[in-house]
Amino acid sequence: MYENLDIVTIGEGLIELSSNTSIKHAQIFDKYYGGDSLCTAIAALRSGSEAGYITKLGNDNFCEYLLDAWDSEGLDISQIKLTQGQNGLYFVGKKEGKSEFVFYRRKTAAMSLCIDDINFDYIKNAKCVYATGFVQSLSLSVREVVREIFKFAKENEICVAYDPNFSPKVSTQAEAREYFDEISNYVDIIFLNTKADTQALFDTCSIDKVQKILSDKAIGTSIIREHKKGYHILSCGNYNYLEYKKSTVIDSTGWEAAFNGCFLNYYLKGYQSLKCTQYANALCLLQIRDVGAIKSIPARVETEKLFNEIYG
C-alpha cells in the first residue's frame, strides 16, 4: 500500500476490446481495459502522479489480467476487492469516421462495492479523491461509497474532484441532479461539458450562469468544456479561457476522463489552473490520435514535449 498517494479514484474497471474498423466487420480486437474513473487515474499516473484505485472485481477469466495490467502500470491496487461474479466489457470500433460502442455491463462485480469495503485510513493518506456521476449510477451501494468518501475527504481537508459525466443512456436528468446535489457541498474541483452535463444539471449551456451556480455552491475550481470551442477555467475567482487546438481525431473515447487526470496531476503539484489545462489539453491531443480510451494515453515526456511546442 502506498502511504502518500496523490489521487485515489473510485469506479468500475472494464475490459475494452477495440478495433480500427467497424465492430460488424472487425476480425481482430485489441484487448485492453477501460472505465471513466480508471482512465482518470491512469492519466494522472502517466503524467507523474502516484495513483490508487477503489473498485470490486469479479473472479472471472479477466480478473487476473486486469490486476496484473494495473499493477504493472504502477497503479496501487491494494484496495481492490475480489468477489464472485463477472466484470464489465465493451467493444469500440470505427464506423463512418465515428466511434461506435457495444457495452455489456449488467450485474457486474463493481456494482457490489459497498461502504464496508472502504478503508478510510487509506483515503486519509491521499491528496485528492475523484469519482463521477457515471460511477454513482452503478448502484445504491456505490453511490453511498462515493458520498461517504467525499464527505470524509472534505472533513479531513483532502481535495475532492468530480465529473458528472452525464449520459442519458445511463441516468435520467433527475438522477443526475440527485447525484450532484448529494455531493456538491464536498466538491473542490468540478469538470463539466456543455454538450450534456450543464444542460442536465442546470438547464443551461450559458457559461456565465453555470459559473455563477458553481460559485454560489463554493466550488473553488471549475473547468467547463464548451462544445467545439474551448475550456472555461474559473479558479479562486480568476477566469481564463483556452481555445481547443485543431487536431486529427482517430478515436475520442475517454478524452475528457484523461484530461481530468492530467489536470489533477499538475494541479496537485501546485501549478496554476490555466497551465494545468494546457498540459491536459496537450495530453488529449495525443490521446485522440489512437484507438482506445486508456491504451492511447501518452507518457509524461510526450505530453510535456507537445506542451512546450504549443505553449512553451
Side-chain angles (χ1 to χ4, degrees), residues 227-245:
H227 187 50
K228 295 184 178 181
K229 293 185 177 181
Y231 306 94
H232 298 266
I233 310 144
L234 186 65
S235 185
C236 301
N238 297 315
Y239 171 81
N240 286 284
Y241 175 75
L242 183 67
E243 188 176 358
Y244 289 152
K245 296 287 184 180

Side-chain angles (χ1 to χ4, degrees), residues 45 65 72 91 98 109 162 178 221 235 243-244 271 291 296:
L45 189 156
Y65 161 72
S72 297
F91 292 84
K98 296 182 179 180
Y162 179 74
E178 286 181 13
T221 298
S235 185
E243 188 176 358
Y244 289 152
Y271 288 74
V291 175
S296 56

Side-chain angles (χ1 to χ4, degrees), residues 14-303:
L14 301 164
I15 292 293
E16 177 189 80
L17 300 175
S18 64
S19 172
N20 278 313
T21 188
S22 70
I23 294 173
K24 177 181 177 180
H25 294 107
Q27 298 294 315
I28 298 173
F29 289 90
D30 290 326
K31 182 178 71 174
Y32 212 70
Y33 49 87
D36 66 345
S37 62
L38 178 61
C39 184
T40 296
I42 298 298
L45 189 156
R46 292 184 188 172
S47 298
S49 288
E50 299 286 359
Y53 191 51
I54 294 175
T55 191
K56 220 164 190 176
L57 280 184
N59 58 351
D60 63 12
N61 292 337
F62 291 115
C63 181
E64 187 174 350
Y65 161 72
L66 290 172
L67 289 173
D68 287 348
W70 298 343
D71 187 48
S72 297
E73 183 79 51
L75 185 68
D76 179 31
I77 59 172
S78 65
Q79 301 304 300
I80 294 176
K81 307 297 182 181
L82 303 182
T83 187
Q84 297 292 324
Q86 64 184 12
N87 299 298
L89 176 149
Y90 69 96
F91 292 84
V92 56
K94 299 293 292 183
K95 184 177 182 179
E96 297 177 356
K98 296 182 179 180
S99 298
E100 57 173 351
F101 301 91
V102 176
F103 285 90
Y104 296 92
R105 296 179 58 247
R106 291 186 178 180
K107 297 181 180 179
T108 62
M111 296 178 180
S112 67
L113 183 72
C114 67
I115 200 68
D116 292 338
D117 297 318
I118 305 306
N119 177 357
F120 283 91
D121 286 336
Y122 180 81
I123 304 299
K124 191 177 289 186
N125 287 319
K127 295 178 183 177
C128 176
V129 295
Y130 172 90
T132 69
F134 200 90
V135 173
Q136 289 171 291
S137 74
L138 289 173
S139 67
L140 288 174
S141 66
V142 176
R143 183 170 164 180
E144 181 187 21
V145 165
V146 172
R147 183 180 67 247
E148 293 306 310
I149 286 180
F150 276 18
K151 180 181 178 182
F152 178 85
K154 191 70 172 180
E155 291 170 348
N156 287 274
E157 299 182 341
I158 297 165
C159 179
V160 175
Y162 179 74
D163 186 333
N165 194 15
F166 174 72
S167 170
K169 295 180 180 179
V170 174
S171 307
T172 66
Q173 185 181 55
E175 288 170 335
R177 292 182 178 186
E178 286 181 13
Y179 301 155
F180 176 68
D181 287 344
E182 69 183 27
I183 53 86
S184 62
N185 289 337
Y186 312 130
V187 174
D188 301 297
I189 303 172
I190 190 167
F191 304 93
L192 306 123
N193 65 61
T194 59
K195 187 176 181 179
D197 296 333
T198 62
Q199 189 65 42
L201 295 182
F202 311 124
D203 284 325
T204 183
C205 291
S206 166
I207 302 299
D208 289 340
K209 289 181 180 178
V210 173
Q211 288 183 330
K212 176 65 166 57
I213 292 168
L214 298 175
S215 180
D216 287 346
K217 289 183 174 293
I219 297 176
T221 298
S222 60
I223 311 298
I224 304 171
R225 294 174 277 245
E226 186 175 10
H227 187 50
K228 295 184 178 181
K229 293 185 177 181
Y231 306 94
H232 298 266
I233 310 144
L234 186 65
S235 185
C236 301
N238 297 315
Y239 171 81
N240 286 284
Y241 175 75
L242 183 67
E243 188 176 358
Y244 289 152
K245 296 287 184 180
K246 292 183 179 180
S247 179
T248 300
V249 180
I250 301 301
D251 180 16
S252 61
T253 308
W255 79 268
E256 291 183 330
F259 173 97
N260 297 353
C262 187
F263 179 97
L264 290 171
N265 168 72
Y266 288 98
Y267 186 91
L268 295 169
K269 288 176 169 55
Y271 288 74
Q272 294 296 315
S273 294
L274 175 59
K275 182 162 283 191
C276 297
T277 304
Q278 292 170 334
Y279 274 114
N281 187 52
L283 178 140
C284 290
L285 289 172
L286 295 169
Q287 189 258 5
I288 61 177
R289 294 178 186 177
D290 202 354
V291 175
I294 296 177
K295 181 174 63 175
S296 56
I297 296 173
R300 180 174 182 170
V301 63
E302 298 173 71
T303 297

